Amino acid sequence: MSGRTSLTIVLAAGEGTRMRSSTPKVLHPVAGQSLLAHVLSAAPKGAGTSLAVVIGPDHQAVGDEAKRYRPDAETFVQRHRKGTAHAVLAARQALAPGADDLIIAFGDTPLISAKTFERLRTALNQGATLAVLGFRAADPTGYGRLLVEGGRLMAIREQADASPAERDVTLCNAGVMAFDGRKALSILEKIGNANSKGEYYLTDAVTIVRDLGLEAVVIETGEDEVRGINTKAQLAEAEGAMQVRLRKDAMEAGVTLIAPETIFLAADTSFGKDVTIEPFVVIGPGVSIADGAVIHSFSHIVQASIGKNASVGPYARLRPGTSLGEGARIGNFVETKAATLEAGVKVNHLSYVGDAHVGANSNIGAGTITCNYDGFSKHKTEIGNGAFIGTNSSLVAPVKIGKGAYIGSGSVITRDVPDDAMAVERSQQTNREGGATRYRELKTRDKPPKS
């Protein structure tokens, strides 16, 4: 927001015991990114913004995740869990400078959007001291109710303390709040713990603001956006809601999804123009798909770059480090990993290409394997432009196949093949004891006459 500074504090210290997992709750994934990463991505960024993440003791992995997505984030440890206001004050050092806007968010609400954070800040810019995010619950049972009079927030009433009339209120507290940052620290320090649990509740800030004669307001959003995650079932529900959002965004950007409900996308998937994705495709993190590419059914793609007018699948698996050039063809039951396939390469059937560089317009025959692992280390296969690899060939890395080379079907290539050479290398049984010898044919490949 132009001209205003901001501090966002993300509370991520919860143990998440109901997840029944050794992984901290906020590190569980939705659409290929952790819950925390989604919140950090939505938080204000750029000039005049700062970010603090409150983590629990012995949860350095959460701090590392915060730094990975937002290098500008500071982390603070809440060593004793004494309520939400206590957690915010764990970041007192970040609060002290007094940014214009203070946003308090939660690391387990992955569907919250940057637009919603901006709406909260707009309310502050218009004179509110406190803006509370609310939603209309289909079933408000268990939620704190937001009690509003004349457009102003008067109180947040917890379910246990609400009167029958107040329990009929469907406007509920989402937990996310924005404070006038110049007054926030003094308000937070006034919150007491005179309650049955002896904890410091952030919701008490509403009463304090009203008692000071200052203004508190509600900003409404949809229930899905503030969906908190406490169980694996809720995690699955959030995944479903996120996928609906991602599919809609993709189609609005011009991507053709043949059967959207069967396609799973990652939050960072990027698309060019006129991309088509057939049913039952799974796209994991780190994937970019360029103009005109087609992803056929039952393909699985992670951390890969797919060039213009490329074709993938059906039943293809592209593992991390795969890069396909323009017009490349990856066919059924083909797997690639850490492989660059230049423009026009064809790998149409039943092959594995790993730790390899394949030059433009090469053809990889069915059943070909780049034997990249010797039991100890990975090795690279290099295939030159226009090479032809016959069916059922094994290329034992490290090995180089020259440009224009021809590898005969069934070959086991263990030595480099020069440019424009034809090679056939096989193992044959030659004695009763089962000993083996190898023979190798290597000659200049006949080239068709120039037209």
Side-chain angles (χ1 to χ4, degrees), residues 279-298:
F280 299 103
V281 168
V282 176
I283 297 178
V287 174
S288 64
I289 305 175
D291 299 353
V294 178
I295 313 300
H296 296 283
S297 295
F298 297 102

Side-chain angles (χ1 to χ4, degrees), residues 127-315:
T129 298
L130 174 63
V132 174
L133 191 62
F135 65 99
R136 301 281 175 178
D139 178 7
T141 304
Y143 291 111
R145 308 305 204 276
L146 299 182
L147 307 182
V148 178
E149 293 181 8
R152 295 181 176 183
L153 178 61
M154 306 305 294
I156 300 177
R157 191 81 73 230
E158 296 303 323
Q159 168 90 13
D161 301 323
S163 68
E166 290 170 341
R167 291 186 182 188
D168 289 338
V169 173
T170 59
L171 182 59
C172 297
N173 178 32
V176 178
M177 295 183 178
F179 289 82
D180 180 332
R182 295 157 297 186
K183 301 181 177 74
L185 188 55
S186 63
I187 292 169
L188 292 167
E189 288 176 336
K190 288 181 172 66
I191 294 175
N193 65 341
N195 53 66
S196 60
K197 292 186 177 180
E199 294 186 352
Y200 300 85
Y201 295 132
L202 196 55
T203 52
D204 290 347
V206 175
T207 301
I208 293 169
V209 167
R210 301 305 306 171
D211 289 346
L212 291 172
L214 302 172
E215 185 175 6
V217 298
V218 175
I219 301 298
E220 287 193 46
T221 189
E223 186 169 3
D224 265 351
E225 188 174 357
V226 291
R227 185 191 296 267
I229 311 301
N230 291 301
T231 67
K232 291 292 179 65
Q234 291 172 343
L235 185 69
E237 290 171 358
E239 180 73 50
M242 181 67 80
Q243 290 300 326
V244 169
R245 178 188 292 183
L246 294 174
R247 293 164 188 153
K248 181 181 178 182
D249 290 347
M251 289 186 286
E252 288 179 351
V255 179
T256 298
L257 305 182
I258 302 299
E261 68 280 3
T262 70
I263 295 165
F264 284 79
L265 305 174
D268 63 350
T269 307
S270 68
F271 299 101
K273 297 178 181 178
D274 298 315
V275 171
T276 298
I277 303 180
E278 293 183 354
F280 299 103
V281 168
V282 176
I283 297 178
V287 174
S288 64
I289 305 175
D291 299 353
V294 178
I295 313 300
H296 296 283
S297 295
F298 297 102
S299 295
H300 192 287
I301 306 170
V302 178
Q303 293 178 24
S305 172
I306 299 171
K308 291 182 178 180
N309 301 313
S311 175
V312 176
Y315 294 98

Side-chain angles (χ1 to χ4, degrees), residues 75-98:
T75 57
F76 299 89
V77 178
Q78 183 190 19
R79 300 200 176 277
H80 306 286
R81 291 177 176 82
K82 297 182 180 180
T84 48
H86 180 264
V88 173
L89 287 172
R92 183 187 296 270
Q93 183 179 339
L95 281 162

Side-chain angles (χ1 to χ4, degrees), residues 431-451:
N431 57 47
R432 293 180 182 178
E433 287 75 29
T437 60
R438 306 189 71 84
Y439 76 90
R440 176 179 174 88
E441 297 176 4
L442 187 64
K443 62 181 181 180
T444 302
R445 181 181 178 185
D446 293 332
K447 294 182 178 179
K450 294 181 178 180
S451 57

Side-chain angles (χ1 to χ4, degrees), residues 355 371-374 377-382 395-401 413-416:
D355 294 285
C371 306
N372 56 329
Y373 184 52
D374 62 7
S377 302
K378 298 290 182 70
H379 302 282
K380 190 168 185 177
T381 299
E382 297 184 30
L395 311 180
V396 182
V399 69
K400 295 182 179 180
I401 310 299
I413 303 298
T414 59
R415 291 168 284 180
D416 292 351

